[in-house]
Amino acid sequence: MIRKVFMIVILYFVWMFTAPVLQSYDFEEGMELSYLRGWLEENIYPSYNMDKIHQVNSDQTQEVEIALDNEYDTTGKEHIGSEYEGEFYIESEPGVFHMVLVKDQRVVGAYTNSGDVSVETINIEGLEREQVDSIYGTPESTIKKGWKRLRVDNEEYAVYDINGTYVYFFYDLHKSDQVNGLLVVDKEAFGESSALYNHPEPADNSKMNHLLVNATRQEYGLEPLSWDEAASKAALGHSSDMVEKDYFNHDSPDGVTLKSRLESADVSYRMAGENIAMGHTSPIFSHHSLMNSPPHRENTLKASFTHLGVGTAYNEENVPYYTENYIRK
């Protein structure tokens, strides 16, 4: 009797797995995988319980709550290009900085570094890597971009595939792996292009870089840095020079230094510092990477700096070069 029951159970599970395969077969066109893939996603692949995620954060009081697919009134609001399909609309009030990714008047993503902002019921107030792992499990090692897969296994951030969105948690490696940034993007906003880089105008990336630096400084209780046009000219000149001469260094191959660049651009200063980065798909990623490097972090968080100049340039393969010039006047 036990053997018969056991065999029935085995046959049931065999049928559960073979039925979708048989039903998916088209004798004229061959195997149709879409049905099988959908069945696996619905019945086998792990899913995320959003009630649990909301419960984890339900004791937090957020000043701003962002939900994807909501309508967004863009009237009179500052916006810049993004690497995704859509534009970032800037909400830069101190303490609740966030950028809302909008396409066709609808929200398709958002970035924030504030614990007072939630995106799709997720907020980063008090979160550390260990808590993220316990809530969301194993992060993705790759994400889909067009018809290619992009590797995203990086100690500086983790990516999760949750309900049709990619959710990035950025970690502060010098502060007990606390989460200091959240990026949520609808998968469709990645677009059909399989190219690694899909950049907006360089000036938009430079503007975003400036916004991110000030948002971070305000989270640390520091004064924001004023935009300096002359310092930005020097920064753009250095980014462009690195592109043209194919190098990555604070000093050019012919010996041009930060000091000489600032003097050539008629920058008035008492103290200066420079951060450079290359290869990151957007300033969001370069900014968090710089914050995880002690000397670059020191420039970003130095209280005595008063102004900032930023310049972005792309090479022939669209690889971005970013330069930040920090100035004390």
Side-chain angles (χ1 to χ4, degrees):
M1 180 63 181
I2 295 177
R3 181 178 296 177
K4 289 183 178 181
V5 173
F6 179 75
M7 288 301 298
I8 291 172
V9 171
I10 293 296
L11 290 172
Y12 171 77
F13 280 104
V14 169
W15 171 249
M16 287 291 292
F17 282 96
T18 57
V21 176
L22 295 174
Q23 295 176 38
S24 299
Y25 194 78
D26 186 313
F27 287 93
E28 292 184 359
E29 299 295 332
M31 179 65 76
E32 172 56 56
L33 293 178
S34 60
Y35 173 84
L36 176 59
R37 187 181 298 112
W39 185 89
L40 289 172
E41 290 178 351
E42 182 177 351
N43 297 281
I44 302 300
Y45 293 168
S47 60
Y48 295 90
N49 185 342
M50 293 303 291
D51 291 335
K52 176 183 177 182
I53 296 171
H54 182 73
Q55 182 180 357
V56 169
N57 295 288
S58 62
D59 61 345
Q60 305 290 342
T61 301
Q62 286 82 51
E63 293 187 30
V64 178
E65 296 183 358
I66 302 169
L68 269 60
D69 204 38
N70 278 1
E71 291 187 11
Y72 187 86
D73 183 7
T74 61
T75 305
K77 292 186 178 179
E78 179 184 11
H79 59 91
I80 54 178
S82 78
E83 65 170 303
Y84 309 107
E85 290 196 351
E87 295 184 308
F88 274 120
Y89 283 77
I90 311 303
E91 306 282 355
S92 57
E93 292 183 39
V96 289
F97 173 81
H98 55 286
M99 302 188 296
V100 183
L101 184 62
V102 178
K103 178 185 178 183
D104 299 329
Q105 306 295 312
R106 305 198 72 83
V107 178
V108 294
Y111 169 85
T112 186
N113 71 332
S114 172
D116 288 323
V117 177
S118 67
V119 184
E120 286 293 279
T121 75
I122 303 171
N123 86 296
I124 62 175
E125 180 68 31
L127 273 184
E128 298 179 357
R129 187 192 301 267
E130 184 176 347
Q131 294 169 289
V132 173
D133 290 343
S134 68
I135 297 170
Y136 300 97
T138 304
E140 301 294 318
S141 59
T142 64
I143 61 173
K144 185 178 179 183
K145 195 173 192 300
W147 53 272
K148 292 184 178 180
R149 304 291 298 186
L150 175 65
R151 296 196 64 83
V152 290
D153 49 343
N154 192 310
E155 68 169 344
E156 296 183 343
Y157 58 84
V159 186
Y160 294 88
D161 184 344
I162 303 176
N163 292 346
T165 65
Y166 286 128
V167 180
Y168 292 75
F169 293 96
F170 294 90
Y171 297 118
D172 189 334
L173 304 184
H174 301 282
K175 205 171 180 182
S176 303
D177 283 358
Q178 289 185 1
V179 179
N180 63 354
L182 172 69
L183 173 65
V184 179
V185 182
D186 188 293
K187 287 182 181 180
E188 293 186 359
F190 276 75
E192 296 299 323
S193 172
S194 59
L196 178 58
Y197 298 105
N198 179 28
H199 293 311
E201 290 297 318
D204 283 353
N205 267 359
S206 296
K207 176 66 174 178
M208 184 189 295
N209 206 327
H210 181 227
L211 291 166
L212 292 168
V213 167
N214 278 343
T216 294
R217 287 176 65 88
Q218 289 170 337
E219 284 292 313
Y220 279 82
L222 300 172
E223 289 296 315
L225 302 177
S226 299
W227 178 268
D228 190 279
E229 194 61 40
S232 294
K233 178 181 177 182
L236 178 58
H238 187 48
S239 292
S240 300
D241 191 62
M242 288 190 288
V243 165
E244 292 170 8
K245 298 176 182 175
D246 191 22
Y247 71 96
F248 182 70
N249 202 303
H250 292 283
D251 296 343
S252 72
D254 48 0
V256 178
T257 65
L258 170 62
K259 180 179 179 180
S260 56
R261 287 192 293 273
L262 294 176
E263 290 177 349
S264 295
D266 294 325
V267 178
S268 173
Y269 70 96
R270 288 185 289 169
M271 179 173 63
E274 183 175 75
N275 288 347
I276 57 176
M278 65 164 290
H280 302 274
T281 57
S282 84
I284 292 174
F285 294 92
S286 67
H287 174 72
H288 282 280
S289 182
L290 290 168
M291 280 295 292
N292 280 322
S293 171
H296 302 92
R297 181 190 187 94
E298 182 179 352
N299 278 339
T300 303
L301 299 179
K302 187 181 286 292
S304 54
F305 283 136
T306 58
H307 292 72
L308 177 67
V310 184
T312 306
Y314 306 138
N315 69 10
E316 291 182 355
E317 288 76 38
N318 286 323
V319 177
Y321 287 70
Y322 308 101
T323 300
E324 303 171 346
N325 283 344
Y326 292 83
I327 302 298
R328 179 185 176 186
K329 294 208 171 186

